[in-house]
Amino acid sequence: MFLTISATGTPERPATDLGFLLHKHPDKAHSFSTSYGKAHVVYPEASVERCTAALLLEVDAVALVRRGKGKGRGGAPDAALAQYVNDRPYAASSLLAVALSSVFSSAMKGTCQAKPELPARPLPLRVEVPALPARGGADLVRALFEPLGWSVGAEPVALDTEFPEWGDSRYVSLVLEGEQRLADALRHLYVLLPVLDDAKHYWVSSDEVDKLLRAGEGWLPDHPEQKLITSRYLSRRWSLTRQAMERLELVRLAETDDSAVEEIDNAVDEQTDTEEKPVPLAVQRRDAIVAALKATDAAKVLDLGCGQGQLVQELLKDTRFTEIVGVDVSMRALTIASRRLKLDRMGERQSERVKLVQGSLAYTDKRLKGYDAAVLSEVIEHLDLPRLPALEYAVFGSARPRTVIVTTPNVEYNVRWETLPAGHVRHGDHRFEWTREEFRGWAGTVAERHGYGVEFVPVGPDDPEVGPPTQMAVFTVSAQNTKNQNTKEEKAA
């Protein structure tokens, strides 16, 4: 992973001032340890007319996997080969951005004790990044850097020069030129490299908002691609993105009004703002599921269709759940779940309780056998109706946990959503949404076919006319039915 920063100069303003700003002497080779390898800073050239500083980051792929704890934890759940064979050691990413902020921290802050006047002076800079992942292509690279005053060269890198017919890869060779203060240039790179890569090697938490606002000071509030930058930098975490956008808007308003942010942000008196906020339906649903699991004394739990891991995260808070397995067909969802759960920073005892695996619920899976309970939360409505019997058998017939909890929207309640047009389902990916009668009919048939009993629990406000927004079925199998099923399987074997 490689990046160079060059400056040109004159006898009055020598290019070697770059060494003072970076706090790295041009006559020496500098090395720094990082969490994932080693960073080196060298100067291929250092004269009055031209000075170039090169940052080389050697990524230890094995350390990267070990920090992710392997076995599906960290950045690539259940993708054993992808943990070792990937572009991380070679392409500019959040790893390089973190190295920039660590190795050139004083330069990013705009401090220089030897020559205090230098940080405020724009320099004729040239930045080169030979391999930059660019999800959005060269056009997005230009859209991000040109509004900041850079002249941008972004040449797509061919997949293979021996086979030009294969076309271009998602990487570009980036060259930036312009008159910039070095601190500004470094902050641009720190934010926009991971934005273009559209991925981060670490869990994005609330402190990332502060990092973004610090690095974006002076340029992000007015950037035309502010929303895209903010969303991607914060790994598309909606709550953090909204928080950052609100704070950026305050900064913009303050600059427009020539006021301090604190003067603008005084609309709400927190001491008198005592209005009780409604509990989101998603939270009510998780609470109802957890309560049902506790009532069955389940210890080993499957979250089937775990998505981004919200329920897994909630179950981890209670030590009575000794083994929690999240299953999803989407690798992207499992990656986000891994980051949400901070699996790469989880203690050994805690990490032994949780596992994320990729799998399709349309097929039987021996890994899902032997668990006390399974949860299908807002899952069945995402399947085409003809595929429901396959899921039914995979869960109730093959995996056969003692308890199965299923939640799904109640279509009758949709008339209470003011923002939902008549006749529309709640989510574009929903293949169907059932009435209470339809759900009870399906659940009753499934229970009878596989030897379960079933009870129905309303989730959310239970409207006397249309029922609750979410309907939940709790299936339980008797010990005798389990014994009979095991006997059948032994005879079949």
Side-chain angles (χ1 to χ4, degrees):
M1 201 181 293
F2 193 66
L3 175 148
T4 62
I5 302 173
S6 302
T8 55
T10 63
E12 293 76 25
R13 293 185 174 181
T16 47
D17 281 346
L18 184 64
F20 287 101
L21 285 168
L22 293 174
H23 294 253
K24 306 292 180 288
H25 199 287
D27 292 341
K28 298 179 181 179
H30 310 264
S31 295
F32 308 86
S33 294
T34 73
S35 301
Y36 299 98
K38 213 158 197 180
H40 308 275
V41 178
V42 296
Y43 288 78
E45 55 183 342
S47 65
V48 170
E49 293 78 19
R50 185 175 175 85
C51 183
T52 298
L55 172 62
L56 172 66
L57 180 60
E58 292 182 296
V59 176
D60 184 343
V62 175
L64 196 60
V65 173
R66 286 175 178 168
R67 286 291 299 272
K69 299 191 186 294
K71 297 182 181 178
R73 296 185 172 93
D78 274 3
L81 182 62
Q83 294 182 75
Y84 291 94
V85 183
N86 54 55
D87 66 353
R88 298 300 85 179
Y90 313 106
S93 65
S94 59
L95 288 163
L96 184 59
V98 170
L100 274 174
S101 67
S102 175
V103 174
F104 299 139
S105 59
S106 297
M108 281 186 66
K109 294 174 185 174
T111 61
C112 180
Q113 293 183 352
K115 294 188 175 184
E117 74 283 359
L118 283 183
R121 183 187 302 166
L123 301 176
L125 295 177
R126 178 183 173 92
V127 177
E128 296 183 54
V129 185
L132 173 65
R135 294 186 185 273
D139 289 341
L140 180 59
V141 177
R142 285 187 282 270
L144 295 183
F145 282 103
E146 285 181 349
L148 302 175
W150 292 104
S151 173
V152 180
E155 291 297 323
V157 177
L159 277 172
D160 193 320
T161 54
E162 297 293 323
F163 302 94
E165 65 273 15
W166 289 1
D168 295 328
S169 67
R170 70 181 183 91
Y171 304 90
V172 299
S173 177
L174 175 67
V175 176
L176 302 175
E177 292 184 306
E179 291 267 342
Q180 298 276 356
R181 293 185 303 175
L182 181 64
D184 293 337
L186 292 174
R187 292 204 300 268
H188 297 164
L189 294 168
Y190 174 75
V191 172
L192 297 181
L193 291 184
V195 165
L196 284 164
D197 185 31
D198 200 13
K200 283 197 171 182
H201 69 280
Y202 58 90
W203 168 249
V204 174
S205 56
S206 57
D207 61 345
E208 289 296 296
V209 175
D210 294 326
K211 292 180 186 178
L212 174 62
L213 296 183
R214 284 196 299 269
E217 185 178 358
W219 62 271
L220 184 55
D222 296 316
H223 198 290
E225 298 293 339
Q226 177 200 101
K227 186 174 182 180
L228 179 143
I229 293 170
T230 304
S231 176
R232 284 196 178 189
Y233 184 87
L234 297 172
S235 296
R236 292 185 168 84
R237 292 194 60 191
W238 179 80
S239 59
L240 297 183
T241 301
R242 183 181 64 177
Q243 178 185 342
M245 294 292 290
E246 290 173 351
R247 291 173 62 179
L248 286 167
E249 179 62 14
L250 284 175
V251 171
R252 190 191 66 79
L253 290 173
E255 290 177 348
T256 302
D257 199 39
D258 197 22
S259 304
V261 172
E262 293 77 11
E263 296 177 14
I264 299 293
D265 190 20
N266 62 357
V268 177
D269 184 348
E270 294 183 358
Q271 293 182 349
T272 60
D273 183 27
T274 57
E275 181 181 351
E276 186 176 348
K277 295 180 175 59
V279 178
L281 180 58
V283 175
Q284 296 182 60
R285 188 162 50 238
R286 285 197 295 273
D287 289 346
I289 292 170
V290 173
L293 289 171
K294 290 178 180 179
T296 64
D297 293 325
K300 299 166 63 178
V301 180
L302 295 167
D303 183 7
L304 304 177
C306 66
Q308 299 180 11
Q310 292 94 330
L311 178 59
V312 174
Q313 185 178 43
E314 189 67 26
L315 295 176
L316 276 171
K317 297 176 183 178
D318 195 324
T319 56
R320 80 182 70 200
F321 301 112
T322 58
E323 185 176 349
I324 306 158
V325 178
V327 183
D328 205 284
V329 72
S330 166
M331 288 298 300
R332 177 173 175 78
L334 291 172
T335 299
I336 296 173
S338 177
R339 292 174 179 169
R340 172 188 295 277
L341 298 171
K342 304 180 184 178
L343 292 182
D344 59 337
R345 289 184 280 172
M346 191 176 285
E348 183 175 353
R349 180 176 296 181
Q350 186 80 329
S351 67
E352 289 175 350
R353 297 173 56 210
V354 63
K355 183 167 59 175
L356 301 178
V357 300
Q358 185 186 26
S360 170
L361 302 180
Y363 302 94
T364 59
D365 191 336
K366 291 187 292 186
R367 296 176 299 176
L368 307 185
K369 292 187 176 182
Y371 287 85
D372 299 326
V375 177
L376 290 159
S377 179
E378 309 301 286
V379 170
I380 61 173
E381 64 272 11
H382 291 272
L383 274 70
D384 293 318
L385 283 170
R387 297 179 67 85
L388 269 185
L391 176 143
E392 174 194 330
Y393 179 75
V395 176
F396 293 89
S398 176
R400 200 165 180 79
R402 190 174 71 241
T403 299
V404 180
I405 298 173
V406 180
T407 72
T408 192
N410 168 22
V411 70
E412 297 170 76
Y413 193 88
N414 287 0
V415 297
R416 297 292 188 255
W417 301 114
E418 295 180 0
T419 57
L420 186 65
H424 284 235
V425 294
R426 298 183 196 177
H427 190 282
D429 189 52
H430 286 185
R431 303 302 200 266
F432 62 88
E433 287 178 357
W434 277 334
T435 64
R436 286 168 290 172
E437 182 179 356
E438 288 171 326
F439 180 55
R440 286 170 180 264
W442 173 82
T445 300
V446 170
E448 183 177 359
R449 183 179 294 134
H450 297 283
Y452 283 78
V454 61
E455 295 181 357
F456 299 94
V457 180
V459 179
D462 197 355
D463 190 288
E465 295 180 5
V466 297
T470 295
Q471 41 193 343
M472 182 169 79
V474 181
F475 299 81
T476 54
V477 64
S478 68
Q480 184 61 43
N481 281 332
T482 301
K483 183 178 179 180
N484 292 341
Q485 180 69 18
N486 292 338
T487 303
K488 289 180 183 178
E489 292 179 357
E490 289 171 2
K491 289 181 178 179

